[in-house]
Structure formats: C-alpha cells, structure tokens
C-alpha cells in the first residue's frame, strides 16, 4: 500500500501573494473578458484556469464568486485561505479520525467583478506520496465573520466536497501515468474521435471487490491481466470480468454527505494563525447518482483507498494495458441535476429551481455552462475513452418567448464536442446518452423513441440507451418478452446506435421492487432469489443480446455475479425511512432465512433486534403502509408501530430516532450484502464459460453490431402453445450465416429440429453448432432437441 503520510518535503517558502504573477493573471483575465468574445466563449477560456494550478513554483488560484458582488464585499475583505498542516505532525489520510492543526495564511486577491484570483508563492502541491496545501476563497462580512467558498473545480477533495480542497499537482499525476504508449498509438495530427466498444461491463466500484475502492478494483484487473499473460485457465470468478472491450463505472464523483452529520471537516478551535480541525475519513455509501455538482472534476474520496486521485488514473492504465487488447474506460457523469445538498456548496447562480431529484442546473447562465463543461473536461482527462451521460432528458431550459420548457440539445452537443488531452494526444470520447424523453410524462414508455439525441447530434456514432436497457425491465414476469416484441422489432431495425442488454444498475434495482405476487415465471427457479438471479443472468436472453440484437451489449457486474443489488444511500436523514420503506419489498426477492442467518450478513439489523428474517419481514410489511397512511409522519408512525400486537421486534419502543437508525442500518447492511466478493464462490463453471464464449463470438463478428438487413429474419416460434422462443437468422460478410433459437419463457418445445424450421434462408444444410447453453450439454451436435426455458442454441455456416 502506498504511504500517503505527510513527508519531510520542505516548504518552498512563506505563503504569500506573488504580486507580479498576480498582475499577469489579472491582466490575462481582463483581456479575455474584454476581448469582444461572446460571454460564453470568454467564460470557457477563463474556466480552464479556475481552481488551483501549478505554474513552476507558483500556484495560480482563481474563483468565480458572483455572491461577493451581491453582498457588496470589497476587495480588501476577500482572500485565498491557505491551510498547511502544522509542523511535523503525523498525518495519514487513511486514518478514520484525527485532529489536525493547520497553519493558516490569508492571501489577498485581485478582483475583476465576480472573478477573484491570486498567484501564490509557498504553496505545496500534493502528489501521490505527499499531502499538499489546502485552500478556499474566504471573505469577511460586515459583522467581521469569515465565510468560506469552496472550489467547485478542485482536483483533490480528501475531506469531501464541503471542505477546503487540496492543491494538487495534476501535471505530475499525468506525467507518471503508465499507459502513455496507449495514447502514443493514437493517430497524430487531427483530434482523434473514439468510436464505440464491442461490449461493456458496468461496475459499481464499492460493491465490485472486497476492497470497495478504485485501488482494489485496479489490483483485481491487474491480477486478471497477469493470469491472462500466463495463459492460466480462467476461473468462474475471473470470467465475469473478462471478454469485455470496455468498463463503465457508475459515477465516481463526490456525492452527498451525511445530512445529520457528522461532517468530515469540523473546526474545533480557531486561533490566531492556526486552525484545529476534527477530521473524519469520508465513508459514505452511495450508488453514485446523488451528486452535489461541486467537486465533479475530482474523485469521490469515499472510493479512494489512499485518498489520492491517482487511483483513477491507475485504473485507466491497467485497462488500457490489458493483454490481448486494451479495454476502454467509460465514465458515467451526472450533470442533469443536483441533490439539494448542492445548495450548500455552490451559490444560487448554479441552479435553476427545484426538481424531483433536488435542483435543476442553470445551463443558460453562460458562466455556469462553461464551468460545467470544464468540470467534465477535467474529469474525463483522468483517461476515459467514453462518457455516459445520465438523464440527458433532464437538461432543460425555459424558453420565455415560447413559454415552454425545451430540451437543451445544444448543450448535449457541447458535451460531446469537448476535446481531451492526455499524454500529449488530443481526442474526443465516445458518447452515450440515457434519454427517455418525454419521461417523466406518464406515457413515456409508450411514446419514447430513444433516438432524440442520436438524431440531434452531428456525429453518427452518438449512442443512447435502448428501450430494453431503460428502467422498467422485468424479464421474470410471464409475457414480458412478447409484450416487448414491438420494442425488439425497433431494436433490430434502428438499434445499431443503442446500448442493448437487460441487466444494468437501474433494471436490476427496479426488478427487486416488483410485487412478488404478480405472475412470476416460476420455471426460472425454485425460489424468488433464484428466479431474480436467472432472469437477469439468462442464457437465452444473453444469446438474444449478443447474436440477434445490433448495438453495443452492456452487462452489469452484479447481475453477472448473481449478486444482490439495490438503491444504496446511507446519507439521507430526512427521507431515509421513506426510501427504505420503498426498498423493503426487495427483501422478498434477495434475502431468504438462510442468507439472513449467515453471521456476516445484516449484522447491524441483528444488533437492532431483528434476529431473523421473519422478524424483519414482519416489520417491513407494516412500514410501507404506515408511510402512506401517516403521510410520512415519523412520530405517528412510531406510535402505531409500538401499538402492534403481537409486538414487533427491533429497537423498541420505536421513536423517530429509532426509525432513522433502522434505515441507516438497512442501507449499510445492504451495501455489504451486495458486494460481488460474497457471491463469486457460488458461480457455475459451465455457465460462466458459456457467457464468456458468447462474448468472444460477438467480438469475432463486429458486423453483428449493424442493423438487420433485408435478408435477415427474426420472429418467434409458432404456434406458441404457451412458449416464447425467438429465432434469428443473420447474414454476415464473406458468406457467413448465423442462426440462433432461444427459449425465453413458457412450456418446453418438444423434439424441434432448429435448422429444419421453415425459415427463408435457413434451408440447405451445412449448419454447425457454435454454442449451446449449459443445460443442453456438449453432446448435442444438431438435430431434434427439446428446448426448455432458458435454453438456447447457436449455429453457423459458410455459404
């Protein structure tokens, strides 16, 4: 493990403003602002120098702070606050809690309207091996109180997004990256444009490995890479990570902090020239989408083992250097909305009013627009080859002339046009948008065509999530596949620029919230847990995705590992009980009496008094009903829970505080329960080998990404007789044909000879079995077969 203690690197001198360099910086800013450029274009230029940047031995710091104008703060009351760890005090960022004393220096600024800047001597730049100076913009109000403005474009946030940022040597981090050869191989000259990968593995970092960190995930891929280099036979636990061209991380931006505390940065003593701070290591758990916008260009410190942002660069390098061909890194960015906590870190100028998630962003403000794009640029410069944009339909603005909300497709285009520069090469990433407009209208599932962004963007390789990749996807309910047949036909016709596949962070989560009393496909398994696992890790559905569907397949690691998954957020104090009440139904799908009883599972809930699953299940049946009946009044809910006869288990007698403890314990326990490391020893050898071979089949035939041509055939077996079995015949280049039949649900099809079916283009013989689902067995080489639920066979021939 790398040592991130404060080292003995001497200060470069007293922290002070460099007057000449500050004047040079201010002159540049003034010239840019008064250059005659449109406000947005000028703001984009200035945004590249916002935050803290190393220029030789000088640190340039610049903030946009329009709130200072509103408060009529004079330049003499505005400073850059620099905080350095006092003396030789021992510091380890990996420590869960410590008290640190900082030496404080307030450096005067130059100010041009809302822009504040200073060039500073004596600041230490943080690196992988040493801790840098911390900084913020501070101002003194009329009552002589000091107020702090944090840097929204900071590169390192060891203490979270609402604490001073660390001045970090980003250039040194980039210079040390281990994948320079990957970038050197890109074409020189024009800006390179990355195209789509062949397929994607979607990963939630904290539940992907036992380490729960970016560094742990990097070590895992490094170990896999070494096994591949040595030609080792992959184990089931290896296979779920292999065979993918790209890895897409759920958001790694800073998320919300604990609403009710404790804060990670708590000032306990403010002496003249020093500041004593109670430091807690950020340890929140979140699925990644509860962002606060500020700090988006940094890495969520809760995901960092060493609290060094280099961990994200390291992951990119391991993926880019993977033997057999580089794997692309795709970052999932959330700029369509902010949690309400964003109001704590940014001025109101960044926001355009409340929405269902918290706050809309003020994209029409040219400076905000420029800063958001700069945040994106800096984040992707960690080494991402692609960007997935969450909730693109949420990027909206109010058209005062037409008196209506409009989608800001121009901003989406600007996102896709951002040029990255890594290791001396310029490139534009591949872009994929999640856009279900007219969502959240009630008819969105029917009326969305999932092509709004594809058709509005200039590039022909812009992608969107396809209709089977969106949230409401329940392949464990009878009739699901036939009810979606009209959508499947769309996929075949226009799906080449869609992400395909059934399992992702949204669909699996939604699946766990379905009423288990609905018409469940019990042929998938003997228990609800088995049914859910097999529905999203389905051999026949995967055959459909990887052979029949065009576009780019995406699999979710937790689904491929048959690991549990849910809505994970332990920071919510106000609505945490309500969220858990909504998630309570997932207990029916993901937890049985035996798994609950295992010593490592649900230890916090057990400590609260829910000793077995039945006692927790009884509580979870009543809780959602009370949320609705009381209009979410925690005090009334507690009173009613205490009156239940026979009495409930748990932290009785209940009150509002006890209910919040239950909610927090459930979220923390579910986070641990969902970790993939808990499930890999249960994976089947034949099943994981089949899935890996299926991915290899697709990789060897990139033409399968194309839309179906006039000679291709896709239909379902008739007469259905209570069965849904899809058949697909596709013509490839150089005379190759592929044919698959996949039994998705229903009764068995008895003694069917797949290649003798009356399908135009199938006749003529010469078919060979290329792949079969595990339950068919290796002895099947063609001819009549009885197909049961989840079985699939793939044939090939050359003509």
């Amino acid at each position: 493990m790398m040592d991130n203690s404060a080292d003995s690197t001497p200060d470069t001198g007293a922290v002070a403003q460099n007057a000449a360099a500050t004047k040079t910086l201010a002159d540049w800013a003034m010239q840019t602002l008064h250059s005659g450029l449109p406000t947005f274009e000028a703001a984009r230029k200035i945004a590249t120098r916002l935050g803290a940047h190393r220029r030789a031995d000088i640190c340039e710091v610049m903030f946009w702070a329009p709130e200072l104008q509103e408060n009529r703060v004079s330049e003499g009351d505005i400073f850059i606050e620099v905080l350095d760890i006092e003396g030789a005090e021992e510091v380890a960022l990996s420590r869960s809690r410590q008290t640190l004393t900082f030496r404080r220096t307030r450096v005067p600024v130059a100010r041009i309207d809302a822009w504040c800047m200073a060039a500073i001597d004596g600041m230490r730049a943080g690196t992988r091996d040493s801790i840098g100076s911390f900084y913020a913009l501070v101002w003194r109000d009329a009552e002589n109180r000091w107020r702090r403005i944090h840097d929204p474009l900071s590169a390192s946030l060891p203490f979270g997004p609402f604490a001073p940022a660390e001045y970090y040597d980003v250039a040194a981090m980039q210079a040390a990256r281990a994948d320079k050869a990957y970038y050197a191989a890109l074409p020189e000259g024009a800006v390179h444009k990355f195209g789509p990968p062949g397929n994607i593995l979607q990963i939630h970092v904290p539940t992907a490995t036992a380490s729960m960190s970016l560094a742990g995930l990097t070590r895992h891929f490094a170990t896999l890479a070494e096994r591949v280099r040595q030609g080792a036979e992959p184990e089931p636990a290896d296979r779920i990570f292999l065979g993918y061209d790209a890895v897409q991380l759920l958001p790694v931006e800073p998320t919300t902090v604990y609403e009710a505390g404790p804060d990670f940065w708590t000032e306990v003593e403010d002496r003249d020239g020093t500041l004593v701070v109670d430091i807690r290591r950020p340890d929140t758990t979140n699925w990644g989408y509860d962002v606060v916008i500020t700090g988006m260009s940094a890495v969520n410190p809760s995901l960092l083992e060493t609290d060094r942002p280099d961990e994200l660069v390291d992951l990119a390098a391991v993926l880019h250097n993977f033997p057999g061909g580089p794997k692309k890194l795709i970052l999932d960015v959330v700029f369509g909305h902010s949690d309400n906590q964003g109001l704590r870190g940014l001025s109101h100028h960044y926001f355009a009013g409340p929405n269902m998630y918290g706050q809309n962003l003020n994209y029409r403000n040219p400076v905000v627009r420029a800063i958001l794009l700069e945040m994106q640029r800096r984040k992707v410069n960690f080494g991402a080859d692609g960007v997935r944009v969450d909730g693109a339909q949420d990027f909206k603005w109010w058209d005062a002339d037409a008196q209506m909300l409009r989608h800001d497709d121009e901003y989406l285009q600007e996102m896709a046009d951002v040029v990255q520069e890594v290791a001396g090469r310029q490139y534009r990433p591949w872009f994929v948008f999640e856009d279900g407009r007219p969502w959240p209208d009630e008819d969105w599932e029917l009326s969305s065509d999932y092509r709004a962004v594809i058709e509005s963007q200039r590039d022909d390789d812009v992608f969107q999530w396809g209709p089977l990749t969106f949230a409401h996807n329940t392949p464990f309910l009878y009739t699901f596949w036939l009810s979606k047949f009209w959508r499947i036909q769309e996929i075949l016709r226009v799906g080449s620029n869609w992400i395909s596949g059934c399992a992702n962070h949204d669909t699996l989560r939604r699946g766990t919230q379905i009423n288990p009393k609905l018409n469940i496909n019990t042929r998938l398994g003997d228990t609800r847990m088995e049914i859910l696992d097999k529905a999203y890790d389905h051999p026949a559905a995967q055959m459909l995705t990887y052979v029949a569907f065009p576009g780019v397949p995406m699999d979710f690691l937790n689904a491929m590992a048959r690991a549990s998954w849910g809505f994970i957020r332990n920071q919510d104090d106000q609505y945490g009980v309500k969220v858990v009440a909504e998630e309570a139904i997932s207990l029916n799908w993901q937890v049985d009496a035996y798994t609950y009883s295992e010593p490592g599972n649900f230890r916090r809930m057990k400590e609260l008094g829910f000793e077995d699953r039945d006692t927790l299940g009884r509580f979870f049946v009543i809780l959602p009903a009370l949320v609705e009946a009381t209009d979410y009044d925690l005090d009334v809910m507690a009173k009613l829970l205490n009156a239940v006869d026979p009495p409930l288990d748990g932290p009785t007698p209940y009150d509002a505080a006890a209910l919040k403890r239950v909610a927090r314990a459930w979220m923390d326990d579910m986070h641990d329960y969902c970790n993939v490391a808990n499930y890999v020893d249960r994976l089947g050898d034949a099943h994981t080998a089949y899935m890996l071979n299926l991915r290899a089949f697709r990789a060897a035939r990139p033409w399968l990404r194309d839309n179906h041509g006039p000679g291709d055939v896709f239909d379902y077996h008739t007469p259905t007789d209570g069965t849904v079995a899809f058949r697909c015949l596709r013509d490839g280049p150089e005379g190759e044909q592929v044919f698959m039949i996949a039994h998705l649900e229903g009764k068995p099809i008895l003694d069917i000879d797949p290649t003798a079916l009356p399908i135009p283009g199938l006749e003529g013989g010469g078919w060979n079995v290329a792949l079969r689902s595990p339950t068919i067995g290796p002895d099947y080489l063609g001819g009549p077969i009885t197909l049961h639920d989840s079985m699939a066979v793939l044939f090939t021939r050359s003509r």
Side-chain angles (χ1 to χ4, degrees):
M1 181 180 298
M2 60 184 75
D3 179 12
N4 59 3
S5 300
D7 65 6
S8 58
T9 303
D11 292 339
T12 56
V15 174
Q17 187 199 78
N18 185 308
T22 298
K23 183 178 184 305
T24 300
L25 179 60
D27 288 346
W28 172 85
M30 179 72 78
Q31 182 180 6
T32 303
L33 289 169
H34 295 170
S35 63
L37 288 171
T39 304
F40 173 58
E41 294 303 321
R44 288 200 73 173
K45 284 193 171 186
I46 290 183
T48 63
R49 298 181 76 167
L50 289 176
H53 299 272
R54 184 172 186 172
R55 310 287 181 192
D57 294 331
I58 296 173
C59 175
E60 291 183 353
V61 185
M62 186 183 293
F63 280 78
W64 179 62
E67 57 266 54
L68 299 181
Q69 291 178 294
E70 291 176 336
N71 287 282
R72 300 185 178 183
V73 182
S74 64
E75 184 174 315
D77 289 318
I78 307 170
F79 301 84
I80 301 297
E81 179 185 56
V82 180
L83 300 170
D84 286 292
I85 296 170
E86 183 85 320
E89 188 169 359
E90 182 183 354
V91 180
L93 293 178
S94 58
R95 188 177 299 167
S96 61
R97 189 174 183 181
Q98 58 192 311
T99 300
L100 296 179
T101 301
F102 292 89
R103 183 178 68 256
R104 179 176 56 212
T105 307
R106 294 191 180 114
V107 179
V109 302
R111 178 182 175 188
I112 304 170
D113 298 325
W115 309 91
C116 300
M117 63 214 72
I120 304 174
D121 291 319
M123 286 181 67
R124 289 199 312 181
T127 66
R128 183 190 292 271
D129 301 313
S130 63
I131 299 172
S133 302
F134 294 84
Y135 68 95
L137 184 70
V138 296
W139 59 281
R140 183 169 40 205
D141 66 16
E143 281 72 44
N144 208 34
R145 294 173 301 185
W146 289 97
R147 301 177 182 272
R148 186 178 284 141
I149 298 172
H150 298 301
D151 180 11
L153 283 155
S154 52
S156 178
L157 291 168
F159 312 129
F162 305 127
E166 181 186 11
Y167 166 40
Y168 208 76
D169 195 337
V170 174
M173 177 178 70
Q174 292 284 9
R177 63 185 309 134
D179 55 355
K180 293 178 185 177
Y182 173 77
Y183 291 99
L186 297 180
E188 296 189 52
V191 175
H192 178 69
K193 180 67 172 73
F194 278 111
N199 63 349
I200 302 169
L201 177 64
Q202 187 190 40
I203 291 178
H204 177 245
V205 172
T207 59
T209 67
S211 300
M212 298 184 290
S213 66
L214 278 164
L217 183 60
T218 300
R219 287 193 298 271
H220 188 78
F221 272 109
T223 300
L224 288 174
E226 189 58 33
R227 289 176 60 81
V228 171
R229 288 189 189 96
Q230 295 180 9
E233 178 65 25
E235 300 173 357
D238 300 333
R239 294 189 189 114
I240 59 173
F241 287 88
L242 296 174
Y244 294 98
D245 293 338
V247 168
Q248 178 179 309
L249 304 181
L250 269 67
V252 295
E253 290 82 64
T255 58
T256 53
V257 298
Y258 298 117
E259 284 184 349
D263 285 338
F264 304 132
W265 173 280
T266 303
E267 296 171 12
V268 295
E269 188 174 355
D270 189 349
R271 301 192 295 261
D272 185 31
T274 61
L275 185 66
V276 181
V277 185
D278 179 10
I279 300 290
R280 295 174 185 261
R281 178 172 168 77
D283 61 352
T284 52
T285 57
N286 195 283
W287 68 333
Y289 293 95
D290 300 305
V291 299
V292 291
I293 300 300
T294 184
M296 291 285 275
S297 51
V299 182
N300 184 352
S302 295
L303 306 182
L304 297 175
E305 192 172 279
T306 62
D307 264 328
R308 305 288 83 190
D310 305 66
E311 288 184 32
L312 185 53
V313 172
D314 294 342
L315 177 61
V318 166
L319 294 174
H320 290 159
N321 295 332
F322 206 84
K327 296 180 184 295
K328 294 179 178 179
L329 174 63
I330 301 170
L331 294 182
D332 191 341
V333 298
V334 187
F335 285 104
H337 57 82
S338 170
D339 185 272
N340 281 322
Q341 284 192 26
L343 296 168
R344 174 180 169 185
L346 296 168
S347 74
H348 68 86
H349 298 270
Y350 284 86
F351 304 103
N355 63 21
M356 63 186 297
Y357 299 111
Q359 295 293 319
N360 292 304
L361 277 298
N362 189 10
Y363 308 104
R364 305 308 285 181
N365 182 306
V367 179
V368 172
R369 194 178 187 91
I371 289 174
L372 294 176
L373 289 170
E374 178 63 13
M375 286 180 177
Q376 172 194 314
R377 186 188 70 84
R378 295 187 193 185
K379 188 55 158 288
V380 178
N381 265 1
F382 275 94
D385 310 275
V387 176
R388 182 260 185 183
V389 178
D390 180 71
Q393 71 275 341
D394 296 327
F395 293 75
K396 297 177 181 178
W397 62 282
W398 178 253
D399 186 337
D401 291 332
Q403 289 292 293
M404 65 181 294
L405 275 176
R406 294 192 185 277
H407 291 281
D408 200 341
D409 289 327
E410 182 182 354
Y411 183 79
L412 301 182
Q413 181 69 64
E414 289 165 352
M415 294 181 79
D417 287 342
V418 172
V419 175
Q420 311 299 143
E421 184 168 350
V422 179
R425 287 290 191 272
Q426 289 189 326
Y427 69 92
R428 289 172 55 219
W430 174 62
F431 262 75
V432 55
F433 296 87
E434 179 205 31
D435 190 302
R437 67 183 78 173
W439 187 91
D441 291 358
E442 292 182 357
D443 69 341
W444 72 270
E445 282 194 275
L446 180 66
S447 56
S448 175
D449 63 6
Y450 301 95
R451 297 192 57 78
V453 186
I454 291 172
E455 293 170 354
S456 70
Q457 295 266 312
R458 288 191 297 270
D459 293 328
D460 61 4
D461 64 348
V462 170
F463 274 59
Q464 285 188 227
W465 273 25
L468 288 188
T469 308
F470 228 80
H472 297 292
N473 196 332
T474 52
F476 52 87
L477 297 180
Y478 274 124
T479 74
F480 169 81
W481 288 104
L482 276 187
S483 69
K484 294 292 185 179
F485 190 70
W486 67 288
R487 283 298 195 190
I488 291 173
Q489 289 178 308
E490 286 183 326
I491 294 172
L492 306 177
R493 188 177 68 255
V494 297
S496 62
N497 282 43
W498 278 346
I499 303 300
S500 60
C502 290
N504 60 67
H505 74 280
D506 245 350
T507 56
L508 185 53
R509 175 207 170 199
R510 296 290 186 183
T512 67
Q513 296 177 320
I514 297 299
N515 188 336
K517 295 181 180 180
L518 294 177
N519 195 16
I520 306 300
N521 181 0
T522 55
R523 289 186 173 88
L524 287 171
D526 296 327
T527 67
R528 289 172 183 161
M529 291 174 63
E530 188 178 9
I531 290 169
L532 187 74
D533 288 343
K534 289 185 176 180
Y536 290 103
D537 182 29
H538 193 282
Q542 287 293 88
M543 179 79 78
L544 190 69
T545 298
Y546 275 83
V547 178
F549 288 173
V552 173
M554 183 176 73
D555 300 327
F556 182 38
L557 178 63
N558 288 63
M560 296 302 100
R562 299 194 172 183
S564 293
W565 178 247
F567 181 45
I568 299 167
R569 180 176 70 190
N570 70 356
Q571 303 98 303
D572 196 332
D573 180 74
Q574 182 177 2
Y575 292 108
V577 176
K578 184 176 183 180
V579 171
V580 169
E582 293 169 353
E583 294 290 306
I585 197 169
S586 69
L587 186 74
N588 295 288
W589 287 107
Q590 300 193 98
V591 187
D592 60 18
Y594 180 80
T595 56
Y596 190 91
S597 70
E598 292 184 81
N601 292 338
F602 299 96
R603 55 185 178 84
R604 300 172 186 84
M605 299 298 285
K606 292 170 184 174
E607 290 170 359
L608 288 176
F610 299 108
E611 295 183 359
D612 55 53
R613 186 199 176 283
D614 288 343
T615 58
L616 178 59
R618 185 165 173 252
F619 175 82
F620 271 174
V621 167
I622 298 172
L623 184 68
L626 293 185
V627 168
E628 185 172 352
T630 67
D631 196 24
Y632 193 54
D633 186 318
L634 292 180
D635 292 324
V636 176
M637 288 170 61
K639 185 180 296 186
L640 294 173
L641 287 168
N642 291 329
V644 172
D645 187 30
L648 294 169
D649 291 83
T652 55
Y654 286 100
D655 56 19
L659 289 174
K660 291 181 179 181
R661 288 198 301 273
V662 170
R664 170 68 185 273
W666 168 258
M667 285 297 184
D668 286 336
D669 278 344
M670 277 303 295
H671 177 263
D672 294 346
Y673 186 66
C674 291
N675 196 289
V676 168
N678 299 328
Y679 299 85
V680 291
D681 59 346
R682 310 173 194 177
L683 295 174
D685 188 69
H687 177 77
T688 54
Y690 162 80
M691 292 294 192
L692 181 59
N693 289 334
L694 192 55
R695 296 192 288 271
F697 184 89
R698 175 72 170 231
R701 295 163 179 81
W703 57 270
L704 290 172
R705 202 211 103 185
D706 299 336
N707 295 328
H708 281 213
D712 294 338
V713 177
F714 186 95
D715 61 10
Y716 54 87
H717 186 73
T718 56
T720 55
D721 291 334
T723 297
V724 179
F726 291 129
R727 300 99 56 95
C728 179
L729 174 67
R730 300 190 68 179
D731 290 316
E734 301 178 359
E736 184 183 31
Q737 287 185 300
V738 299
F739 173 69
M740 54 135 276
I741 182 167
H743 190 307
L744 275 301
E745 61 178 274
K747 297 177 180 178
I749 305 176
L750 304 177
D751 295 324
I752 182 176
D753 187 345
T755 58
L757 292 170
I759 296 174
L762 191 64
E763 64 279 346
W767 291 101
N768 296 302
V769 175
L771 197 58
R772 58 190 76 75
S773 56
T775 53
I776 292 176
D779 55 338
Y780 176 71
L781 302 177
I785 185 175
T786 295
L787 290 177
H788 295 269
D789 195 319
S790 305
M791 284 186 177
V793 189
L794 174 63
F795 301 86
T796 62
R797 74 175 175 186
S798 296
R799 301 187 69 176

